[in-house]
Amino acid sequence: MKHYFRALSIAGSDPSGGAGLQADLKTFSALGCYGATVVVAVVDENTVGVTGVHPIPVDFVKGQIRSVLDDIGADAIKIGMLHSSELILAVRDTLAAYDVRNIVLDPVMVATSGDPLLEADAVATLRSELIPRVRVITPNIPEAELLLGHEIAAQEALPEAARELSDRCGGVSVFLKAGHLHDDELIDVFYNAETDRITELKSPRLDTRNTHGTGCTLSSAFAASLAKGMDLDSAARAAKDYISAAIAAGAHYQIGHGHGPVHHFHSIWK
């Protein structure tokens, strides 16, 4: 009997299809995993911005997690937008009952459009209560700055910032994304806390507005790669290669009037 590689996303929805659960499912599918989802919030958004967030009751979120993990299980879990301290603690406590090591957390705090997605008091809860219990986090620079409490000014500061973030958050591995910098070459940094090694992941910087859901896509690609049995460094490289190709392939499409999505199925659609 064959078995699927199983990946679970715990995140909010995006009705425009470019970010959130929808982006995670597309990424899991494109990378050869069976995707399942737990909806934590229904988000009213499109490529232009976020109009509203309707939270799912916390007990119902916990029930969804149990329903999936008790029946299907998961080889890896991706956690996205958790909008409140109550929800963060509930997800932490519910997952503690299951033996899933490969948990990738994308500390979603602000949408690509600039709209806030996380309550202010939840940042400290995320940093102290949930991040130390996952294997990998994938912050962009503004998210890392909020978690660290200070500015990250230049490309040269990224390796030390990733190490500091790991130290402050319980020894988690850190994929620190450099997209908010302005150098010609985009150099993300992956700090593998399990081996104490820094890997620089380089790609050309593309001039495109189609960056909606890049963070969701990168983190779900990392989770999918771990679900398939890759080690941390290999999964980081695979996730970087996937998101870089998805951005490049999606740069020439027009969907919506704001920040369009990346092309999740660039290697499949001909």
Side-chain angles (χ1 to χ4, degrees):
M1 182 67 67
K2 293 183 178 180
H3 296 279
Y4 292 108
F5 299 117
R6 304 156 300 168
L8 170 64
S9 170
I10 303 173
S13 71
D14 171 16
S16 70
L21 296 172
Q22 288 84 343
D24 296 342
L25 278 178
K26 291 176 182 179
T27 303
F28 294 159
S29 299
L31 293 177
C33 288
Y34 179 89
T37 61
V38 168
V39 185
V40 304
V42 180
V43 184
D44 181 3
E45 72 172 315
N46 55 25
T47 65
V48 177
V50 177
T51 303
V53 177
H54 179 71
I56 302 299
V58 169
D59 284 345
F60 202 79
V61 172
K62 293 161 65 176
Q64 292 179 76
I65 296 172
R66 294 189 187 109
S67 290
V68 173
L69 295 182
D70 286 346
D71 180 28
I72 296 170
D75 299 302
I77 297 173
K78 174 265 172 79
I79 302 175
M81 183 191 78
L82 301 179
H83 53 273
S84 69
S85 291
E86 181 187 13
L87 179 60
I88 291 167
L89 294 173
V91 169
R92 178 202 66 183
D93 293 344
T94 308
L95 290 179
Y98 298 91
D99 183 22
V100 182
R101 183 186 184 208
N102 294 322
I103 303 178
V104 179
L105 186 147
D106 184 22
V108 181
M109 300 175 188
V110 179
T112 302
S113 59
D115 297 287
L117 295 172
L118 184 69
E119 294 176 2
D121 67 335
V123 175
T125 306
L126 190 71
R127 179 174 54 227
S128 63
E129 299 299 331
L130 183 56
I131 289 177
R133 291 164 174 79
V134 307
R135 194 176 186 193
V136 181
I137 59 172
T138 60
N140 59 30
I141 287 176
E143 292 160 351
E145 289 174 337
L146 279 172
L147 291 168
L148 288 170
H150 65 74
E151 183 181 9
I152 302 172
Q155 178 72 53
E156 294 73 23
L158 262 59
E160 183 55 37
R163 287 181 186 272
E164 181 186 355
L165 195 50
S166 177
D167 290 342
R168 291 193 57 179
C169 296
V172 66
S173 293
V174 179
F175 190 117
L176 182 51
K177 298 172 289 192
H180 284 77
L181 298 177
H182 301 288
D183 304 76
D184 291 337
E185 189 174 35
L186 198 158
I187 308 176
D188 298 326
V189 166
F190 178 59
Y191 173 60
N192 185 334
E194 297 171 21
T195 61
D196 192 29
R197 286 204 308 248
I198 289 280
T199 301
E200 292 188 343
L201 301 164
K202 302 179 181 180
S203 63
R205 183 177 295 277
L206 297 175
D207 183 16
T208 174
R209 285 173 55 83
N210 292 343
T211 56
H212 182 56
T214 51
C216 305
T217 301
L218 183 279
S219 58
S220 52
F222 205 133
S225 299
L226 291 176
K228 294 194 294 185
M230 292 186 187
D231 60 49
L232 280 178
D233 291 336
S234 298
R237 292 188 184 93
K240 170 71 173 185
D241 290 345
Y242 175 76
I243 188 59
S244 297
I247 293 171
H252 307 294
Y253 285 86
Q254 175 67 46
I255 294 182
H257 297 89
H259 295 280
V262 303
H263 194 332
H264 294 93
F265 296 108
H266 58 271
S267 63
I268 300 171
W269 292 5
K270 302 298 181 184

